[in-house]
Each structure stands twice: as C-alpha cells, then as structure tokens.
Amino acid sequence: MIFLLILFIILVVLICSSIRIVPQGYVYVVECLGRYKAAWDAGLHIKIPILDRVVRKISMKEQVLDFPPQPVITKDNVTMQIDSVVFCVVFDPKLYTYGVEHPIAGLQNLAATTLRNIIGEMELDQTLTGRDMINRRMETVLDEATDPWGIKVTRVEIKNIQPPEEVEQTMLKQMKAERERRQTVLEAQAHQEAVVARAEGDKKAKLLAAEAERDAQIAMSEGRAKSIKLVYEAEAQGLRMLSEAGINEEVLKLKGLEALKTVADGRATKIFMPSDITAAVSSLGVLSEAVGIGDATPIDRTPKPAQADGGDICCDDEDKSPLTGGAVRTGEAIHKDVAGSYQKLDF
C-alpha cells in the first residue's frame, strides 16, 4: 500500500514537471536524448519526462546591445574612441542555439573589428561627418555575418565619437577661424549691398528731381503761353469792341486827357503836347513849366512806388529750392507782362 502511494506521488510529480507554459515573446529550444527536437512557441506544451529537456529560453523581441567604446585609428593616424549601439533580433532559435557558442559576445567582437576596418579607411574629417555612411556599412556587414547565427541586425548607430584632446583644441581653433572668416565675408557683403542700395537711391532721387523739374518747366511754359494768349485775345477783343462802338472825336480827346493825367504826375522829364493846342486851355501852364517860367513845379525824381504784391505764401520761406525759385521768377515775369499789356489797353 505504501509502495503504491509513493509510486502515485512520483507519477504526479513527473506529470507536473512535463507541463510547460511558454510566455509570449519567447521560444524554448527542446532536445530529446541530446538531439534537437523542436522549438516551442508561446503556449502550453508537454514534454516527455526524462527524455526531453529544455536547453535554452530565447527572447524573440528586438534587443539593444550597447557596446563599450572601442579605440580605433583613422587613415591619417588619429586615435579616437567610438561608442556604438547595435539593434538585433533572433529570427531562427535553432541557429541561435547551435550556430555559435556565445552569439552576443561574437556580435560584439564582430562589431568592434568591423568598426576598426571602416574607420581605418577614412580620415578624421570624414569620420566626424560620415556617421550615416558608417552606420549603413556596419549594418550591412554585421547582418550578413550574423545570418548563420540566426540573428538579424536591424540597425547600427554610432552613439559617440571622442577624438583626442589635442585634436579637439585644433578643431576649436579651426572653427573659430572659420566663423571669423564668415563674419568678415558677411560684413563685406553687407557693406557692398549698402553702398549699392545708397547709389541706386541717389540715382532714383536725381531722376525723380529731373522729371519733376521738367514737368514744372513744361507746366510754367504752358501757363505763360496761355496767359500771353489770353492777353492778346483780350487786346483783340478790346479793339473789336472799340471798333464796334463807333469811336468819335470826343472819345479820343477824353482818352488823350486820361493819358495826360498819367504823364503829368510831376515825375516826367519830357512833355507830350496834344496836337490841338489851341483847343486846350491848360497848354499855357504846361509850356511855362516846360521852359521854367513862372511857378514851375520841381520834377519828382523819387522812384515811383510799386504796386504791393501779395506774393506766394508757399514761396515765402527763405530756404527756397532752385526749382521753386525758378517758378516764382517765371510767375513774376508773367505778372509784369500782363500788367504792361493792360496798361497799353488803358492808354
């Protein structure tokens, strides 16, 4: 009875030990009597007691392998430390188990030797600026080399490149010199652009001033022409009206007396006598003044006061431009011509 109980307990223990549950993302490699039997995926599995044995539990998730910095020498004999990161995933559990003894260590050494080979073909400047090229070449070489191990290299990244201290100081000096050179070039370009812009502005200003002066001259010429035309039209109209009014001798005498009023203002040095002297009673007084007999009135030689001109309120400023001064002078000349024309009409 006791023997049967012991046998039952041993049987239960064997059955429980034969039931295996594989978690998600893992694969169990099973051997039967020392030979590869199967690779169990996630789920419930039962193995044969004593005969079957789980030799390796493999994670099928992507792994990130951060390897320590490796000393490498460039083509121009510069020693530096390069730190790389390898991303890989196991795609064949059987090859991963039986392809290499220590797959992760083998991948690390293979990455170090591949990195030294690639950097040894490049110069320092190419190494510092060619990280993408280094990543692609390492990924290609490692992926091809690790296929017999059941490993798929998905990505390789150069995390850090540490050149020697002397090289860093030289690079800093070079960077400073390059920035100073760029600053000098930018300042020269800015000065050149400023000079060109200023010259173009002066050119446009002179062109606009010339165009404005031209337009002003044209406008003043047209105005003067129109004013002269109006004066002569007014004279012609006045003569036409006098002709239509039928001028007689009395009107002519009246106009003559009005002219004598202007001449005999005491400022004239010459006296114009009317043709009909017998008909003018005042001729004797005029003659006495002409020959200096009797109570002769002295000639007033002071300048005749000019008619006050209101001027142009827009041109009263002392600081006149040449264009404004020319316009003012032309306007005064036109005013004098018109005034003279009207005086001729009055006479």
Side-chain angles (χ1 to χ4, degrees):
M1 189 67 180
I2 297 175
F3 176 76
L4 293 175
L5 181 59
I6 295 173
L7 184 61
F8 177 75
I9 294 174
I10 294 173
L11 183 60
V12 171
V13 171
L14 290 176
I15 293 174
C16 292
S17 62
S18 298
I19 298 175
R20 293 296 180 91
I21 298 176
V22 179
Q24 183 68 37
Y26 284 86
V27 172
Y28 288 179
V29 177
V30 180
E31 293 181 353
C32 180
L33 298 176
R35 299 186 62 179
Y36 173 77
K37 179 181 179 181
W40 291 348
D41 295 328
L44 179 64
H45 299 275
I46 298 175
K47 69 181 185 68
I48 301 175
I50 301 174
L51 299 180
D52 294 342
R53 183 173 65 93
V54 177
V55 296
R56 174 165 290 186
K57 300 177 182 180
I58 303 173
S59 175
M60 303 300 292
K61 295 179 290 185
E62 187 173 7
Q63 303 180 36
V64 180
L65 306 178
D66 188 1
F67 299 140
Q70 301 293 328
V72 295
I73 301 176
T74 61
K75 186 177 180 180
D76 49 355
N77 297 324
V78 178
T79 304
M80 62 178 64
Q81 299 287 332
I82 298 182
D83 188 6
S84 61
V85 179
V86 177
F87 298 82
C88 63
V89 62
V90 177
F91 69 91
D92 192 335
K94 181 179 179 181
L95 294 177
Y96 183 79
T97 304
Y98 302 102
V100 65
E101 185 66 26
H102 299 288
I104 300 301
L107 180 59
Q108 179 179 353
N109 293 326
L110 183 60
T113 56
T114 304
L115 183 61
R116 289 192 181 98
N117 292 334
I118 295 175
I119 299 299
E121 299 175 357
M122 303 172 62
E123 295 183 354
L124 176 61
D125 295 338
Q126 296 176 346
T127 303
L128 297 176
T129 58
R131 294 194 178 191
D132 293 338
M133 187 268 292
I134 296 173
N135 295 337
R136 289 194 299 268
R137 290 185 61 182
M138 286 190 63
E139 179 181 349
T140 302
V141 173
L142 293 179
D143 186 30
E144 183 179 357
T146 56
D147 283 343
W149 303 347
I151 299 175
K152 171 67 176 177
V153 177
T154 59
R155 191 171 182 179
V156 178
E157 292 289 340
I158 300 298
K159 186 169 68 173
N160 186 23
I161 298 178
Q162 185 65 36
E165 185 177 357
E166 296 81 3
V167 176
E168 287 185 354
Q169 294 178 358
T170 304
M171 292 172 60
L172 290 175
K173 293 180 181 179
Q174 181 180 2
M175 178 181 63
K176 183 178 179 181
E178 179 66 20
R179 289 183 177 178
E180 291 178 354
R181 183 188 68 82
R182 292 180 181 178
Q183 180 182 1
T184 304
V185 172
L186 290 176
E187 289 178 354
Q189 292 178 353
H191 179 69
Q192 179 183 1
E193 292 176 358
V195 172
V196 172
R198 190 178 296 109
E200 291 180 353
D202 294 340
K203 176 182 176 182
K204 291 181 179 180
K206 291 180 180 179
L207 290 176
L208 292 176
E211 292 177 357
E213 185 175 359
R214 180 198 63 189
D215 296 340
Q217 293 293 339
I218 293 174
M220 288 188 293
S221 300
E222 292 177 352
R224 186 171 183 179
K226 289 181 180 180
S227 65
I228 294 174
K229 181 179 179 181
L230 292 175
V231 169
Y232 282 104
E233 288 179 355
E235 291 179 354
Q237 183 68 21
L239 293 175
R240 190 179 300 109
M241 292 176 65
L242 290 175
S243 177
E244 293 176 357
I247 301 175
N248 53 20
E249 187 177 355
E250 287 76 8
V251 175
L252 294 176
K253 289 181 179 180
L254 179 60
K255 289 294 183 180
L257 292 175
E258 291 178 356
L260 288 175
K261 179 181 178 182
T262 304
V263 174
D265 59 351
R267 298 176 181 272
T269 58
K270 295 181 181 181
I271 301 299
F272 296 90
M273 302 299 296
S275 60
D276 190 5
I277 191 170
T278 58
V281 180
S282 60
S283 60
L284 295 176
V286 173
L287 180 62
S288 63
E289 290 188 1
V291 297
I293 303 173
D295 188 9
T297 304
I299 298 175
D300 188 1
R301 299 183 182 274
T302 59
K304 186 177 181 179
Q307 185 178 358
D309 189 5
D312 190 355
I313 61 174
C314 298
C315 303
D316 291 341
D317 191 4
E318 295 181 358
D319 188 10
K320 299 183 179 67
S321 62
L323 181 60
T324 306
V328 173
R329 289 192 294 272
T330 304
E332 292 177 353
I334 295 173
H335 180 72
K336 289 180 180 180
D337 291 342
V338 174
S341 301
Y342 280 116
Q343 288 179 2
K344 291 179 182 179
L345 291 177
D346 294 335
F347 294 160

